[in-house]
Amino acid sequence: MSQATTNVYAGIIAQFQRLTLFIERILNSTFSQKYNPFYYHGALPNFFLWVLFISGLLLFAYYNPTLEGAYPSLEYMTKQIPSGALFRALHRYAADGMMIFVLLHFFRVWFTDRYREYRILPWITGVILITVLYLAGLTGYMLIWDSESVALTYMTVNFLNSIPGIGSSLASLLIGGDIVTDYTLTRYLFLHLGIPASMLFLLWWHYLRITRPVTNAPLVLNLMLFGGLLVACGLWPVGIGEAPNLATPSASIEVDWLYMLPHGMLANGASPFLAWVVLLGIPVAMLLLPYLQKKQFRGQFAQVVNENCTGCSLCYHDCPYEAIEMMDRDDDTRFKRIAVVDPGRCANCGLCVGACAFKAIEIPRMNTERVFKEIQVALGSAQS
Amino acid sequence: MPINQLIRLSGAALISLFALIALYQMFTAESRTATEFTDYFQWALYAGLIFLAVGAALTLFDKDDDVLTDYKDETRK
Amino acid sequence: MNQRRKLKVVALVCERSVDFKDKLDNAHYMSECPDVNVIQLPCSGQIQPAMIEAALKGGADGIITTGCRIGDCHYREGNKFLRARILGERQPKLRASVDRKRLQAYWLSALEYHRFKEMAGEFVEFLSGYQPETPQKPEKKAPSKAAE
């Protein structure tokens, strides 16, 4: 990456950062900083995840994953069970809401430059999480098994078949054989339950390097999100399409662009190749983004001044990225433990410096001695 | 801040009410040959609007616009 | 403006919060508020209570600490930690004997230079008329504050 390109990219990101701050300033004036949704961007998708789990549980209880039974079970849920249709609607709109807020999270983290170097692990697991969420949502639409779902299945199978070589085996992996059978529905159910289950593991990984992740938004924001969700359900009720017919599937599908990006492109006449380029290009581009900018503090990290460290572990508790570990020490001091910094995790932020009362930890980019000196200079020159 | 407490409580009460209704629905779902109870979308719309209103009220009364911390007023300990 | 003594106010500012580009002279004084000397740090969380104590001991009239908006710290929690330290809620705490009237903190984003200027101006106004109750001997107040 040439210097010029890197600079142009950094300049663009800086402008987006100003835009983000501008939006936040507006939100601060309405929500105040206590409830600014942008300050809980990572926690908001979790709320939808809980709604999805709970509403999904109720749908799972009634779902019949067979070729003949799937549609009647959906019909039963929608038309016979009190509030069953409402739970279906909640499940669908929570899925859309989750993707929307995940994307908000993604863009804010990107624009505010909180995605690279010491944050690379959350970034990579985040991209995997978005992909996994996409697959979970897509399989959910197939699971409904009305006429449109059949069309969606055929479309996906053709889309997979368009890959030379491995395409047909991927397609049979998806539908559980060469043709649509009972196993197709079982496979869909497995995918739609298994993929979200993997999200729990991925989320743990996502939070691994963050000492105190914010996983829940305040009650007020959750209340408003749930309110919004219910209003969406009330305004646009979710029904059920025509009974499936394998020979004549629905001629068109209602495209949910959040979960059917390639399908929407195909339905609008794009070639499968282009749809694949977009589908695979987006996550690959996301993964490459952190490497477009030069490292800020190459090779720098917080330095423990061994002779001053008392092993009090205040820096260990305050480090936001789990970069400090307390180790046993057996040198000639009377202290039993010492702080040790993991260079790969260190953000050079200086929070450990603020936590230290013994001048025992320093970050190279702004030594405490330099701060004290600057204070002295400021006070000395003011006297004249 | 009693007003905040009040709004907080009513928010919690609303959520509990909803949870209770949902539970009741779950347990009575099979035993009913429901026709008029199949569709709660109208109800959802009103409940959603109430939730939004409670949330909005809370943000209105429970603000933290403190860009200034004046420590002479805030020696808490 | 009437002639008053030039104050020594030190502002310890997170480099990601208020943007001081083209607002400082060569000696880091604010051109629009010449009593305030700005020292920029990577994060407000780096500010040690000892730095505040040292500055006051060195004769500063007031100290301003500035971080990003509460809720938005680039390093997640630096501004909250600093606030808690000065309020005495987090170790290492600021000494109870330190005159809290000489301390203010602003939590502002990079776009809010003007609010910083306004608030710093008011603070300087306040400090110029401020007489500590027990000048030079803040230790006397220490027991009562610590007991609270």
Side-chain angles (χ1 to χ4, degrees):
Chain A
M1 201 62 52
S2 77
Q3 186 67 43
T5 354
T6 330
N7 287 345
V8 169
Y9 173 74
I12 294 170
I13 292 300
Q15 285 311 310
F16 277 124
Q17 173 153 15
R18 291 186 77 80
L19 176 75
T20 317
L21 289 173
F22 179 74
I23 296 171
E24 277 167 23
R25 192 160 68 168
I26 297 170
L27 288 172
N28 272 332
S29 62
T30 48
F31 285 89
S32 92
Q33 49 193 19
K34 195 169 183 180
Y35 299 119
N36 188 335
F38 270 45
Y39 295 164
Y40 296 95
H41 52 109
L44 296 178
N46 281 356
F47 171 76
F48 291 107
L49 191 63
W50 288 117
V51 175
L52 283 167
F53 273 134
I54 293 168
S55 57
L57 211 59
L58 290 172
L59 302 179
F60 181 43
Y62 290 96
Y63 190 71
N64 179 358
T66 58
L67 209 48
E68 297 302 319
Y71 182 78
S73 72
L74 250 293
E75 213 173 19
Y76 179 73
M77 277 181 226
T78 314
K79 295 183 178 163
Q80 297 296 311
I81 301 175
S83 75
L86 179 61
F87 272 99
R88 278 194 59 214
L90 271 177
H91 199 66
R92 174 171 303 181
Y93 293 131
D96 284 337
M98 182 156 175
M99 188 55 114
I100 289 168
F101 280 89
V102 161
L103 290 177
L104 175 85
H105 178 46
F106 164 78
F107 281 113
R108 187 181 188 273
V109 166
W110 179 23
F111 290 163
T112 54
D113 196 13
R114 296 173 192 192
Y115 66 104
R116 58 205 175 100
E117 298 178 44
Y118 52 92
R119 280 172 159 129
I120 195 74
L121 184 78
W123 181 260
I124 291 172
T125 51
V127 174
I128 300 173
L129 272 163
I130 293 182
T131 318
V132 160
L133 176 64
Y134 163 77
L135 292 173
L138 180 62
T139 49
Y141 277 106
M142 291 169 164
L143 213 50
I144 298 169
W145 209 244
D146 60 3
S147 184
E148 277 189 41
S149 296
V150 177
L152 196 64
T153 298
Y154 288 169
M155 223 169 164
T156 313
V157 166
N158 289 335
F159 186 45
L160 287 169
N161 275 329
S162 72
I163 312 174
I166 54 165
S168 57
S169 24
L170 282 179
S172 57
L173 259 181
L174 173 75
I175 61 170
D178 293 334
I179 51 160
V180 172
T181 58
D182 278 345
Y183 291 114
T184 308
L185 275 300
T186 321
R187 182 60 51 90
Y188 282 177
L189 188 63
F190 164 70
L191 290 174
H192 192 63
L193 296 175
I195 291 172
S198 76
M199 283 173 75
L200 290 179
F201 167 70
L202 284 165
L203 273 174
W204 165 75
W205 207 0
H206 197 54
Y207 295 140
L208 193 59
R209 293 269 174 89
I210 300 168
T211 311
R212 283 163 290 266
V214 180
T215 53
N216 289 308
L219 171 79
V220 178
L221 284 180
N222 289 341
L223 206 65
M224 290 175 89
L225 287 183
F226 197 46
L229 213 51
L230 285 174
V231 168
C233 295
L235 291 180
W236 305 285
V238 168
I240 186 163
E242 310 225 323
N245 186 327
L246 293 184
T248 53
S250 167
S252 66
I253 54 165
E254 200 186 319
V255 178
D256 179 345
W257 283 97
L258 293 170
Y259 289 106
M260 299 178 196
L261 184 62
H263 299 83
M265 291 176 68
L266 292 170
N268 284 305
S271 72
F273 180 71
L274 183 66
W276 273 116
V277 168
V278 171
L279 184 64
L280 297 178
I282 289 175
V284 169
M286 286 176 177
L287 287 176
L288 291 179
L289 278 175
Y291 304 101
L292 287 178
Q293 258 170 301
K294 262 201 331 193
K295 283 197 171 183
Q296 263 186 302
F297 311 106
R298 187 178 287 276
Q300 289 189 12
F301 55 92
Q303 305 286 332
V304 179
V305 185
N306 287 1
E307 58 270 27
N308 289 356
C309 182
T310 65
C312 72
S313 74
L314 283 179
C315 57
Y316 160 77
H317 287 296
D318 276 10
C319 178
Y321 303 107
E322 310 226 318
I324 297 178
E325 243 184 289
M326 299 308 295
M327 303 276 211
D328 291 334
R329 83 193 282 182
D330 51 2
D331 47 7
D332 286 338
T333 51
R334 63 201 168 86
F335 303 114
K336 290 202 171 63
R337 275 141 62 82
I338 188 166
V340 177
V341 179
D342 181 336
R345 297 182 186 181
C346 179
N348 281 288
C349 64
L351 258 65
C352 49
V353 181
C356 187
F358 304 101
K359 298 187 182 169
I361 197 160
E362 296 285 356
I363 51 167
R365 59 195 269 223
M366 190 66 176
N367 218 291
T368 45
E369 231 166 85
R370 207 177 115 201
V371 182
F372 279 109
K373 207 170 167 194
E374 282 190 26
I375 292 173
Q376 293 313 322
V377 169
L379 298 174
S381 59
Q383 277 171 342
S384 57
Chain B
M1 289 171 271
I3 182 83
N4 295 343
Q5 301 284 358
L6 197 73
I7 296 166
R8 225 177 265 275
L9 272 175
S10 46
L14 254 177
I15 291 179
S16 330
L17 188 69
F18 180 81
L20 280 175
I21 294 173
L23 268 178
Y24 177 73
Q25 293 300 340
M26 264 174 63
F27 288 128
T28 56
E30 294 289 12
S31 63
R32 227 184 295 171
T33 51
T35 44
E36 74 262 45
F37 291 114
T38 50
D39 151 2
Y40 279 81
F41 289 114
Q42 203 66 25
W43 181 83
L45 180 64
Y46 297 137
L49 288 173
I50 292 171
F51 277 39
L52 280 174
V54 171
L58 242 177
T59 53
L60 211 67
F61 290 107
D62 190 15
K63 272 182 182 297
D64 173 17
D65 286 324
D66 286 352
V67 292
L68 165 81
T69 306
D70 200 344
Y71 292 104
K72 68 172 185 283
D73 308 329
E74 295 217 34
T75 34
R76 292 180 199 169
K77 276 182 188 169
Chain C
M1 205 137 164
N2 54 354
Q3 277 300 69
R4 59 163 171 76
R5 146 185 103 87
K6 191 182 174 191
L7 296 182
K8 290 179 272 185
V9 176
V10 178
L12 297 161
V13 180
C14 157
E15 65 185 11
R16 294 191 186 259
S17 68
V18 181
D19 188 2
F20 283 106
K21 207 182 165 197
D22 309 325
K23 309 285 186 196
L24 302 177
D25 66 13
N26 288 333
H28 302 295
Y29 285 97
M30 284 171 70
S31 19
E32 292 174 277
C33 191
D35 303 275
V36 179
N37 188 294
V38 175
I39 298 170
Q40 284 177 304
L41 301 118
C43 179
S44 57
Q46 197 197 345
I47 300 168
Q48 296 172 336
M51 291 172 186
I52 295 169
E53 288 157 17
L56 284 174
K57 218 173 175 183
D61 292 291
I63 312 284
I64 297 169
T65 56
T66 296
C68 300
R69 285 277 194 157
I70 297 290
D72 178 40
C73 173
H74 188 85
Y75 302 108
R76 304 190 60 82
E77 11 198 35
N79 49 9
K80 286 182 192 167
F81 285 179
L82 172 69
R83 185 172 64 175
R85 287 201 178 102
I86 302 182
L87 291 173
E89 292 165 354
R90 193 177 186 86
Q91 292 287 357
K93 299 173 183 175
L94 184 73
R95 282 206 189 110
S97 60
V98 169
D99 185 357
R100 297 302 200 272
K101 292 200 171 83
R102 295 191 184 278
L103 302 181
Q104 277 195 348
Y106 310 149
W107 316 109
L108 297 166
S109 79
L111 304 179
E112 294 172 304
Y113 166 78
H114 287 281
R115 288 194 77 169
F116 182 93
K117 196 185 73 186
E118 278 168 30
M119 292 196 287
E122 282 169 26
F123 187 41
V124 168
E125 250 348 273
F126 163 78
L127 286 172
S128 66
Y130 173 61
Q131 289 295 327
E133 291 156 33
T134 51
Q136 307 306 319
K137 291 219 174 199
E139 288 88 339
K140 274 191 177 172
K141 289 202 75 178
S144 67
K145 284 228 162 154
E148 270 176 49

